[in-house]
Amino acid sequence: MPTKVEKDSITGRETTGHQWDGLKELNTPLPKWWLYVFYACIAFAIVWAIIYPSIPMTGARGLSGWTARGAIGPELEAERQSREPMLAKLRAATPAQIAADPAMRAYALAGGRIAFANNCAGCHGSGGQGAAGGFPSLADDDWLYGGSFEAIHGTIAHGVRNGADADARGIAMPRFLADGLLTAPQVNDVAEHLLGFTGRATDAAAAERGAAVFAENCASCHGEKGEGNREMGAPRLNDQVWLYGGDKASILRSVGYARAGVMPDWAGKLDPAIINMLTVYVHALGGGE
Ligand code: HEC
Ligand code: HEC
C-alpha cells in the first residue's frame, strides 16, 4: 500500500508510492489524447452494436434492420436478370440443340460443370469418374441406361430406383441366395461363369455348370452373353467395368444378395435449364453417344 506520495528527486515526477526492493515507480499517466480516443472507441462500439446486428445486444437485425443478405439482394437480382435470357433459351431448347449451338454449348458446359460439382460430384466424383460401391463413371462409354442426349436427360430427370419418381429407371435384381432361388454351389458356379467372360475362371467345370444356370436365371436381364440390357439397367457383365467390383467375392455378393443402386430424381428440384446444361455437360465428359 502506498503510504505517502513523494517526488522523485531526479525527474521531479511524483511516484505512485509502490516500490520493489528500493526501486520506486514513477506516476506516468496515459496521454490525454490517447485516453479520449479510447473512450471514443468504446462509445462508437456501443452505438454500432445497437444499430447493426450484434447478438446479444440487438439480435440478428439491429435497429437499422440491416442484413448482409439484404445488402447483397439487389446485386443477386441483377445477376439473375442478366442470366435470365440465356436460361430461358436453355430451357426452351433440347440438349441436342444446345450442343449444336456454340454459344449455348459453351454456356451449358460452364454452368453444367458448376451444377455437377454442387449436386452430383458427391456420388459420381468431381470429374464424373465414378466411385466404388455402385456409382458409375459418367466419363466413359459404358452406359447402364444409354449415353444419348435423351437417355442421359431421362436418367437425370427421373433418377434411379428412388421410389419417388414413377418414371425412375432401373428394375430390381432378384436376391438369388437370400431368397433361396439358387443354392450356394449354383451361385458359385455362375460366378465362375461370369469370371470366364473375361478369361478369369479358376474352375472350368464349375464355369461350365454355371453357363446353364446363367442361361436359365440371368440371360433374360443381362443378355445371353452378358452384354447387358439398357431397358432394365442390367449392367454388362462381359467387360472389365464393374459397379460393385469384379473380383469373385464381390460377384458372389452381387448375385446372392443383389444390389440396388439409388439415384435421386432431379426434375422439380433443379431448374429445367440446369438439367439441360447437366445433360450437355455429362454428354461431353467423354462417352456421349
Ligand atoms: C446419391 C448419389 C447420387 C447422386 C447425388 C447422383 N447420382 Fe447419378 N447415379 C447414382 C447411382 C447409384 C447410379 C447408378 C444406378 C444403378 O445402379 O443403376 C447413377 C446413375 C447415373 C447416370 C446413368 C449412367 C449410365 O451408365 O447410364 C447418370 C447419367 C447420372 N447418374 C447422372 C447424375 C447427375 C447429372 C447427377 C447430379 C444432378 C447425379 N447423377 C447425382 C447415384 C447418384
Ligand atoms: C430381373 C433382372 C435381373 C436378373 C434376372 C438378374 N440380374 Fe443381375 N442385375 C440386374 C440389375 C438391374 C443390376 C444392377 C443393380 C444396380 O445397378 O444396383 C444387376 C447387377 C448384377 C451384378 C453386378 C454388376 C456390377 O457391375 O457390379 C452382377 C454380378 C449380376 N447382376 C449378376 C447376375 C447373375 C449371375 C444373375 C443370374 C443368377 C442375375 N444377375 C440375374 C438385373 C438382373
Side-chain angles (χ1 to χ4, degrees):
M1 276 299 284
T3 46
K4 69 178 199 331
V5 175
E6 56 175 327
K7 286 215 171 180
D8 175 51
S9 57
I10 299 171
T11 57
R13 288 241 184 110
E14 286 181 357
T15 71
T16 58
H18 300 147
Q19 57 166 294
W20 293 271
D21 296 340
L23 295 176
K24 292 175 182 166
E25 184 187 25
L26 298 185
N27 185 8
T28 316
L30 289 166
K32 284 277 181 290
W33 68 265
W34 195 98
L35 214 55
Y36 291 139
V37 169
F38 179 59
Y39 292 146
C41 286
I42 292 176
F44 179 80
I46 292 172
V47 173
W48 180 279
I50 291 171
I51 293 180
Y52 286 102
S54 91
I55 296 168
M57 288 284 289
T58 50
R61 293 237 136 201
L63 277 191
S64 65
W66 185 93
T67 61
R69 177 163 286 276
I72 203 176
E75 268 177 62
L76 286 179
E77 181 57 24
E79 179 66 27
R80 212 185 57 76
Q81 293 288 344
S82 74
R83 261 185 287 161
E84 190 47 36
M86 185 49 118
L87 287 181
K89 274 171 76 181
L90 289 167
R91 235 172 258 134
T94 65
Q97 288 166 339
I98 295 172
D101 176 294
M104 281 202 281
R105 184 183 136 90
Y107 197 97
L109 288 181
R113 175 189 301 276
I114 293 167
F116 192 87
N118 285 343
N119 301 289
C120 325
C123 288
H124 289 287
S126 54
Q129 74 276 20
F135 304 108
S137 164
L138 306 178
D140 61 9
D141 53 10
D142 189 88
W143 294 99
L144 289 163
Y145 305 102
S148 66
F149 285 114
E150 296 80 55
I152 295 174
H153 188 274
T155 308
I156 299 175
H158 303 296
V160 181
R161 296 186 198 93
N162 46 45
D165 188 315
D167 294 324
R169 298 189 181 278
I171 58 163
M173 169 165 153
R175 307 185 317 150
F176 283 98
L177 191 62
D179 291 340
L181 303 169
L182 293 177
T183 63
Q186 283 175 309
V187 171
N188 177 66
D189 291 350
V190 81
E192 283 291 334
H193 179 65
L194 294 194
L195 291 171
F197 281 144
T198 43
R200 295 182 296 142
T202 50
D203 181 341
E208 186 67 33
R209 291 192 299 273
V213 179
F214 186 86
E216 199 171 313
N217 298 282
C218 324
S220 57
C221 289
H222 288 285
E224 305 244 321
K225 299 188 176 63
E227 65 273 17
N229 180 327
R230 290 179 172 185
E231 296 297 311
M232 306 188 189
R236 193 173 158 181
L237 300 176
N238 61 7
D239 61 6
Q240 307 281 6
V241 181
W242 294 91
L243 277 167
Y244 300 98
D247 57 297
K248 187 161 175 191
S250 302
I251 292 178
L252 286 175
R253 195 177 171 311
S254 290
V255 180
Y257 302 92
R259 318 273 194 169
V262 171
M263 164 163 144
D265 53 319
W266 297 94
K269 294 176 190 149
L270 296 177
D271 186 316
I274 304 275
I275 295 185
N276 281 346
M277 285 156 74
L278 281 166
T279 304
V280 173
Y281 174 76
V282 169
H283 188 271
L285 280 178
E289 293 171 349

